[in-house]
């Protein structure tokens, strides 16, 4: 009981007034009742996944973290705990009936499935601890080393057309010479920030831009992006973790904007490869089917998915990686621009949220789709989340959506058709959640 009391005091101090002012003040907001939420979230802050690789590539000794490579940090856990509390308070105020500040959820009301990595499992625990402190909510994950929901391409399940992937990447990138010209300044900036003075350091920055596809259909760029993307991500993570500025990009970063200026090669990896439709639809269809099944459960709108009974929970959460969100985002053609991040960037804790509303006047169901994430400085300082300092958020809209008191709402049947449009059969018959 003492632990629950202390944790509730902490969360109360960090997540006050979660309802956006536009929602709370709107006279017709009560017309729409939030009855279901499905969220796909990236894990929280972690260190680099391969310190030796970074050091070999740059010729420099990289700063040490207090956890092993790739593990969620305590800072990352704390940020996701507060984020979970903030998100749930917002959903409850919009009508979601899952637990209460004084009571744990009923069995079957919440279900969370995480990728098997430590950082994703620990992020799931942080979210649930923030949402339901003291309730001991379970994080579910596969008993196997890999999960096809999150590793469809890596496991060789996806079968993208290699020629189509190659063509789509080349259409975005242009020739190797064009790419070299277009990213000349980002390459020079990264070289100045992280490369040793020795002539052989950062040799990857001088190599030719090329598209390579391995035997499992996984596409990669050679040249500056091959190591530059992960180096840029590591700089972002260093800043987000609140490492001393002398250790962030070896002292070459002073502000969040400085971090953003070094993110170009990371952004290129996603813009040129991960966000191409052929690659995304084959890598993301298995996960998209679960998202569709969850958000449409109990309505019977689709015959393309047969949802697991656990997806009927009012609150369903998946915790995976930025690559998973990138695939779903691309399939939905959902683009965003959050403050001081590259376009379509997916920071630690970034969350793709599907909210299902019921119009009390007509009984019709609608989807409110958003992407939200802490700013770099909100991560660095673990800033309280509140009405005055909310999670930056982007809304999905298209011609069939309309603006309401609760945001841009899209008819559920229209949204499901849109989500199904780019599905392929890769992995369709696989049994998941094992």
């Amino acid at each position: 009981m003492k632990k629950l009391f202390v944790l509730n005091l902490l969360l109360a101090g960090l997540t006050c007034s979660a309802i956006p002012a536009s929602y709370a003040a709107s006279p017709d907001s009560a017309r729409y009742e939030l009855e279901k939420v499905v969220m796909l979230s990236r894990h929280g802050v972690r260190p680099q996944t391969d310190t030796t690789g970074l050091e070999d590539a740059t010729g420099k000794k990289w700063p040490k973290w207090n956890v092993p490579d790739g593990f969620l940090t305590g800072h990352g856990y704390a940020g996701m705990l507060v984020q979970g509390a903030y998100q749930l308070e917002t959903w409850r105020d919009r009508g979601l009936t899952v637990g209460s500040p004084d009571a744990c959820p009923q069995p079957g009301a919440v279900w969370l499935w995480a990728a098997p990595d430590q950082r994703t499992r620990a992020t799931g625990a942080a979210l649930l601890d923030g949402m339901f402190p003291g309730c001991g909510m379970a994080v579910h994950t596969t008993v196997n080393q890999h999960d096809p929901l999150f590793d469809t391409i890596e496991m060789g399940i996806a079968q993208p057309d290699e020629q189509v992937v190659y063509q789509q990447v080349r259409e975005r990138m242009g020739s190797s010479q064009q790419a070299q010209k277009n990213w000349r300044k980002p390459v020079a900036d990264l070289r100045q920030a992280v490369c040793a003075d020795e002539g052989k350091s950062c040799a990857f920055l001088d190599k030719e831009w090329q598209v390579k596809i391995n035997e499992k259909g996984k596409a990669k760029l050679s040249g500056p992006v091959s190591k530059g993307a992960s180096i840029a991500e590591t700089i972002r993570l260093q800043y987000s973790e609140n490492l001393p500025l002398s250790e962030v990009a070896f002292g070459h970063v002073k502000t969040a904007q400085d971090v953003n200026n070094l993110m170009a090669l990371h952004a290129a990896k996603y813009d040129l490869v991960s966000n191409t439709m052929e690659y995304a639809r084959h890598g993301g269809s298995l996960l998209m089917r679960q998202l569709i099944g969850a958000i449409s459960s109990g309505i019977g709108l689709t015959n393309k998915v047969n949802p697991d009974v656990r997806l009927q929970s009012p609150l369903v959460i998946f915790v995976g990686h930025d690559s998973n969100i990138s695939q779903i985002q691309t399939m939905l053609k959902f683009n965003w621009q959050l403050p001081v991040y590259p376009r379509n960037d997916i920071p630690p804790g970034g969350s793709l949220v599907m909210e299902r509303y019921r119009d009390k006047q007509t009984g019709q169901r609608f989807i409110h789709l958003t992407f939200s994430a802490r700013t770099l400085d909100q991560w660095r300082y673990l800033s309280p989340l509140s009405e005055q300092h909310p999670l930056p958020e982007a809304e999905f809209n298209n011609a069939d959506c309309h603006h309401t008191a609760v945001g841009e709402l899209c008819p559920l049947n229209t949204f499901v058709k849109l989500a199904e449009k780019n599905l392929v059969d890769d992995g369709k018959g696989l049994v998941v959640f094992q």
Side-chain angles (χ1 to χ4, degrees):
M1 178 64 77
K2 182 177 180 181
K3 177 183 177 183
L4 176 59
F5 176 72
V6 171
L7 187 52
N8 273 319
L9 282 179
L10 170 65
L11 293 173
L14 293 177
T15 61
C16 57
S17 302
I19 320 173
S22 60
Y23 178 90
S26 178
D28 61 341
S29 59
R31 172 177 174 175
Y32 300 97
E33 179 182 32
L34 180 60
E35 61 180 9
K36 175 128 187 172
V37 172
V38 179
M39 180 169 75
L40 172 61
S41 181
R42 186 190 177 191
H43 56 77
V45 175
R46 57 154 176 85
Q48 59 271 5
T49 56
D50 182 10
T51 298
T52 300
L54 289 183
E55 294 177 346
D56 289 344
T58 62
K60 282 191 173 183
K61 194 76 174 176
W62 282 68
K64 290 185 177 181
W65 294 54
N66 59 6
V67 296
D69 282 3
F71 276 44
L72 187 74
T73 65
H75 189 92
Y77 181 94
M80 296 309 296
L81 180 139
V82 170
Q83 182 172 313
Y86 168 88
Q87 289 172 317
L88 181 63
E89 184 181 350
T90 303
W91 298 332
R92 279 177 175 162
D93 286 320
R94 295 183 177 185
L96 187 68
T97 54
V98 174
S100 72
D102 303 315
C104 296
Q106 293 295 316
V110 181
W111 193 68
L112 186 148
W113 184 263
D117 312 83
Q118 184 275 348
R119 58 185 176 274
T120 44
R121 290 183 285 109
T123 295
L127 285 169
L128 293 177
D129 285 347
M131 293 177 179
F132 312 105
C135 293
M137 304 292 290
V139 173
H140 302 281
T141 188
T142 182
V143 297
N144 303 309
Q145 184 178 357
H146 299 286
D147 187 332
L149 279 182
F150 305 104
D151 297 317
T152 311
I153 291 178
E154 289 78 358
M155 294 176 68
I157 297 168
Q159 299 294 322
D161 186 313
E162 294 183 9
Q163 189 59 37
V164 173
V165 172
Y166 181 83
Q167 290 174 350
Q168 290 180 351
V169 174
R170 286 304 297 261
E171 286 174 5
R172 290 170 177 248
M173 186 183 78
S175 68
S176 178
Q177 292 75 18
Q178 288 173 316
Q180 185 179 20
K181 180 180 178 180
N182 291 340
W183 277 274
R184 180 176 293 136
K185 186 178 187 305
V187 167
D189 290 344
L190 195 67
R191 189 191 304 275
Q192 182 180 19
V194 303
C195 299
D197 294 333
E198 292 83 358
K200 293 184 179 180
S201 70
C202 291
F204 67 93
L205 291 176
D206 300 315
K207 291 185 178 179
E208 190 175 3
W209 290 68
Q210 291 291 346
V211 185
K212 295 186 176 181
I213 302 176
N214 68 16
E215 67 280 1
K216 294 182 179 179
K218 186 170 184 176
K220 288 187 175 183
L221 291 177
S222 61
V225 172
S226 62
K227 300 289 185 181
S230 61
I231 290 172
E233 175 68 3
T234 299
I235 293 169
R236 179 243 292 280
L237 293 166
Q238 291 175 331
Y239 188 89
S240 300
E241 176 70 4
N242 202 15
L243 293 187
L245 289 176
S246 61
E247 296 183 0
V248 181
F250 302 100
H252 288 85
V253 160
K254 303 300 180 186
T255 67
Q257 185 59 54
D258 292 340
V259 175
N260 186 49
N261 293 342
L262 293 172
M263 290 287 292
L265 293 180
H266 180 269
K269 171 189 172 183
Y270 283 84
D271 183 50
L272 300 180
V273 178
S274 301
N275 295 353
T276 54
M277 183 60 74
E278 177 69 8
Y279 194 66
R281 69 203 295 252
H282 284 269
S285 283
L286 186 57
L287 178 57
M288 179 69 91
R289 281 193 168 83
Q290 313 317 312
L291 297 173
I292 295 171
I295 201 62
S296 62
S297 63
I299 307 298
L301 285 179
T302 178
N303 58 7
K304 292 190 177 183
V305 296
N306 185 21
D308 187 286
V309 65
R310 291 164 289 191
L311 299 181
Q312 297 177 13
S313 302
L315 176 57
V316 175
I317 300 171
F318 294 93
V319 182
H321 305 278
D322 49 0
S323 57
N324 304 125
I325 296 177
S326 170
Q327 291 161 355
I328 301 303
Q329 166 240 326
T330 300
M331 294 176 72
L332 293 172
K333 298 183 179 180
F334 180 18
N335 299 297
W336 55 76
Q337 179 70 69
L338 297 186
V340 201
Y341 285 122
R343 181 177 180 268
N344 290 333
D345 190 58
I346 304 167
S351 300
L352 195 67
V353 179
M354 301 175 182
E355 299 172 334
R356 192 177 84 194
Y357 286 89
R358 184 178 68 86
D359 185 335
K360 294 180 182 178
Q361 295 183 8
T362 66
Q364 189 176 4
R365 263 76 177 196
F366 296 91
I367 298 299
H368 182 225
L369 175 65
T370 63
F371 180 80
S372 58
R374 286 176 176 268
T375 67
L376 279 162
D377 283 329
Q378 282 179 326
W379 259 121
R380 184 167 179 81
Y381 304 112
L382 290 183
S383 307
L385 300 175
S386 66
E387 178 182 330
Q388 292 73 32
H389 303 285
L391 283 176
E393 181 180 274
E395 292 183 302
F396 173 83
N397 62 75
N398 70 8
D400 294 311
C401 304
H402 64 283
H403 186 71
T404 72
V406 296
E408 292 289 325
L409 294 187
C410 308
L412 175 61
N413 59 342
T414 300
F415 181 81
V416 169
K417 289 179 182 178
L418 178 68
E420 291 178 337
K421 182 179 179 180
N422 291 305
L423 288 177
V424 296
D425 289 340
D426 296 1
K428 184 178 179 180
L430 281 178
V431 177
V432 294
F433 307 130
Q434 291 188 333

